[in-house]
């Protein structure tokens, strides 16, 4: 399976670049003119990202062991997250609020204190439990084997995790207000429950070669299924959910759709991307830098293009292109050359942390480095 990792690196980086398009789409002030971009992204982007992150988390844990896994991965995620949420997110949110209010004084740009880096904090929580998940899945797999009975048991376990996440989310939304600081951390808690099944699926994909092959071999099955499901999901977009059964059904459709699209992407990229070229490698390497920096650039471009009264389509295109190129250039000119910039934006340390072995790896928990 190791010879296929470059396609997972590319996909994970692509999910970050797709995020640039999603945030640029707020050029429409959150109205429906560019809503199709947000709908398509919501159908699979972060789900696919967390499946891949789960896969690489399990791989790195197996290679490094518990102590090194925690010591290396926590700073890797925490340093860029803190830099972004303390410096970039407040400015970005302020500029986006101005952009929205210039259009309509009652319009609101809704973003929490974590901004677009919420996924890093979710990954931090997942990192804490990765060894437990790996050990638990391995115990089940070793007990039942990787034959039909073992696979059925683990599939049942995964379904239970999905419905457990849905139930936990419902309970959180109903009783969360009773928890201290709930309003501060509600997005983090909700996202943690929503994306946990995908992360667990990625871990199991690493541990079970049958699942890995199942996700990669059947592109002629996964692609039409993914297209059909996303069309069906779109048909449900305007459905008014009035009871618990409808909510559970809608979220189940979301999970099935996201997994089908992710598997379609795995199978397509593993088939057609036999080995990476320099352009693909650059895009994969720079994707994390681009994602950390892109939203503040987008906010600045949107404000400027709004002041000179450019059409929304031009604002969207300009924001996406400028934010992407700016991020790639910063990665080439600064991140690659200066260790302090690499540490702040990518969490990559120049030297080993004291008392910790840091074996080199081509993949980490976030986007490709």
């Amino acid at each position: 399976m190791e010879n296929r990792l470059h396609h997972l690196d590319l996909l994970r980086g692509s999910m970050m670049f797709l995020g640039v398009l999603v945030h640029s789409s707020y050029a429409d002030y959150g109205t429906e003119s560019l809503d199709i971009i947000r709908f398509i992204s919501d159908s699979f982007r972060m789900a696919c990202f967390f499946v891949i992150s789960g896969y690489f988390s399990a791989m790195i844990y197996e290679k490094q062991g518990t102590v090194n896994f925690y010591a290396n991965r926590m700073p890797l995620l925490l340093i860029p997250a803190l830099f972004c949420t303390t410096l970039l997110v407040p400015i970005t949110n302020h500029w986006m609020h101005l952009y929205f209010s210039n259009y309509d004084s009652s319009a609101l740009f809704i973003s929490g204190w974590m901004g677009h880096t919420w996924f890093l904090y979710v990954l931090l929580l997942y990192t804490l439990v990765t060894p437990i998940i790996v050990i638990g899945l391995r115990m089940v797999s070793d007990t039942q084997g990787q034959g039909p009975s073992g696979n059925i048991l683990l599939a049942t376990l995964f379904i239970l995790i999905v419905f457990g996440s849905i139930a936990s989310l419902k309970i959180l939304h109903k009783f969360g207000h009773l928890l201290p600081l709930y309003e501060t951390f509600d997005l983090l808690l909700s996202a943690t429950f929503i994306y946990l099944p995908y992360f667990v699926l990625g871990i199991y994909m690493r541990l079970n070669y049958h699942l890995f092959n199942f996700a990669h071999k059947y592109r002629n099955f996964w692609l039409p299924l993914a297209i059909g499901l996303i069309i069906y999901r779109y048909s449900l977009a305007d459905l008014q959910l009035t009871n618990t059964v409808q909510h559970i059904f809608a979220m189940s459709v979301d999970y099935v759709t996201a997994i089908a699209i992710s598997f379609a992407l795995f199978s397509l990229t593993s088939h057609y991307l036999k080995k990476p070229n320099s352009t693909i490698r650059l895009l994969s390497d720079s994707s994390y830098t681009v994602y950390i920096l892109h939203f503040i650039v987008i906010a600045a471009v949107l404000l400027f293009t709004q002041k000179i009264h450019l059409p929304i389509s031009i604002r969207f295109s300009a924001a996406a292109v400028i934010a992407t190129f700016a991020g790639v250039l910063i990665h080439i000119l600064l991140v690659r050359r200066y260790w302090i910039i690499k540490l702040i934006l990518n969490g990559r340390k120049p030297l080993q942390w004291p008392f910790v072995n840091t074996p080199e790896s081509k993949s980490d928990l976030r986007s490709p480095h």
Side-chain angles (χ1 to χ4, degrees):
M1 291 191 290
E2 305 293 11
N3 60 349
R4 291 183 169 187
L5 290 182
H6 57 263
H7 79 278
L8 294 182
D9 273 334
L10 174 64
L11 272 178
R12 190 171 45 178
S14 298
M15 298 305 103
M16 298 293 96
F17 282 105
L18 180 56
V20 177
L21 288 179
V22 172
H23 294 140
S24 297
S25 74
Y26 286 111
D28 71 351
Y29 307 103
T31 61
E32 296 183 357
S33 58
L34 295 174
D35 195 49
I36 187 63
I37 296 174
R38 295 186 287 272
F39 170 80
I40 292 173
S41 171
D42 289 344
S43 297
F44 74 95
R45 181 174 69 93
M46 294 311 300
C48 182
F49 175 84
F50 278 109
V51 172
I52 299 172
S53 295
Y55 180 91
F56 283 137
S57 295
M59 182 186 75
I60 295 168
Y61 169 70
E62 289 177 326
K63 290 182 177 181
Q64 297 186 355
T66 303
V67 174
N68 285 335
F69 177 74
Y70 283 141
N72 293 325
R73 300 303 148 183
M74 298 298 281
L76 196 69
L77 298 165
L78 189 58
I79 293 174
L82 291 177
F83 167 75
C84 200
T85 52
T86 55
L87 294 179
L88 301 186
V89 170
I91 299 173
T92 302
N93 286 348
H94 176 66
W95 287 350
M96 290 301 296
H97 284 307
L98 285 178
Y99 179 77
F100 272 56
S101 62
N102 290 339
Y103 164 73
D104 182 348
S105 59
S106 63
L108 294 175
F109 174 72
I110 301 174
S111 177
W113 60 271
M114 294 177 293
H116 62 288
T117 60
W118 61 267
F119 74 100
L120 290 176
Y121 293 95
V122 173
L123 279 176
L124 281 165
L125 295 178
Y126 291 166
T127 297
L128 293 175
V129 298
T130 292
I132 298 173
I133 298 173
V134 171
I135 293 171
L137 289 177
R138 191 180 290 151
M139 287 176 60
V140 175
S141 183
D142 290 344
T143 302
Q144 299 295 324
Q146 295 200 8
S149 61
N151 291 335
I152 291 173
L153 177 60
L154 284 164
T156 303
L157 178 62
F158 177 73
I159 293 173
L160 291 175
I161 292 173
V162 170
F163 282 102
S165 295
I166 294 174
S168 299
L169 196 62
K170 295 290 290 183
I171 293 171
L172 181 68
H173 288 168
K174 188 171 184 179
F175 300 106
H177 65 278
L178 301 175
L179 299 174
L181 300 177
Y182 173 70
E183 292 185 358
T184 303
F185 297 102
D186 60 338
L187 172 61
L188 175 60
L189 294 173
S190 297
T192 300
F193 286 123
I194 290 171
Y195 293 105
L196 180 61
Y198 303 115
F199 189 79
V200 173
L201 180 64
I203 291 177
Y204 186 46
M205 194 171 75
R206 167 66 187 181
L207 301 178
N208 187 294
Y209 66 90
H210 291 300
L211 178 58
F212 186 92
N213 289 335
F214 183 63
H216 284 77
K217 279 190 172 182
Y218 305 106
R219 65 185 185 279
N220 293 329
F221 168 73
W222 291 119
L223 183 58
L225 178 63
I227 294 173
L229 283 170
I230 199 170
I231 292 173
Y232 179 66
R233 183 175 182 268
Y234 185 76
S235 72
L236 300 177
D238 295 327
L239 179 67
Q240 297 295 321
L241 304 178
T242 59
N243 56 59
T244 300
V245 174
Q246 290 178 337
H247 277 280
I248 292 175
F249 176 76
M251 291 194 69
S252 299
V253 171
D254 289 346
Y255 278 110
V256 174
T257 302
I259 291 171
I261 296 174
S262 298
F263 285 6
L265 292 172
F266 295 163
S267 59
L268 287 170
T269 54
S270 64
H271 178 77
Y272 291 107
L273 182 63
K274 299 303 182 183
K275 59 182 180 178
N277 56 41
S278 57
T279 301
I280 291 174
R281 187 61 186 174
L282 173 62
L283 293 177
S284 296
D285 288 349
S286 62
S287 61
Y288 191 56
T289 302
V290 171
Y291 197 78
I292 289 293
L293 298 175
H294 79 283
F295 213 165
I296 194 169
V297 177
I298 287 172
V301 173
L302 290 181
L303 270 179
F304 176 75
T305 54
Q306 184 188 56
K307 287 182 178 181
I308 60 176
H309 307 292
L310 291 180
I312 286 178
S313 60
I314 301 299
R315 299 180 203 175
F316 162 72
S317 302
V321 171
I322 293 172
T324 299
F325 276 96
V328 172
L329 284 176
I330 289 172
H331 184 82
I332 294 172
L333 299 177
L334 298 179
V335 173
R336 284 182 171 181
R337 295 184 180 185
Y338 303 104
W339 69 266
I340 187 64
I341 305 297
K342 180 183 291 186
L343 178 67
I344 292 172
L345 296 183
N346 286 183
R348 308 296 300 179
K349 49 191 177 294
L351 300 172
Q352 291 185 344
W353 298 111
F355 313 115
V356 176
N357 294 322
T358 54
E360 289 295 323
S361 172
K362 290 186 178 181
S363 303
D364 56 42
L365 292 177
R366 319 168 271 94
S367 68
H369 54 270

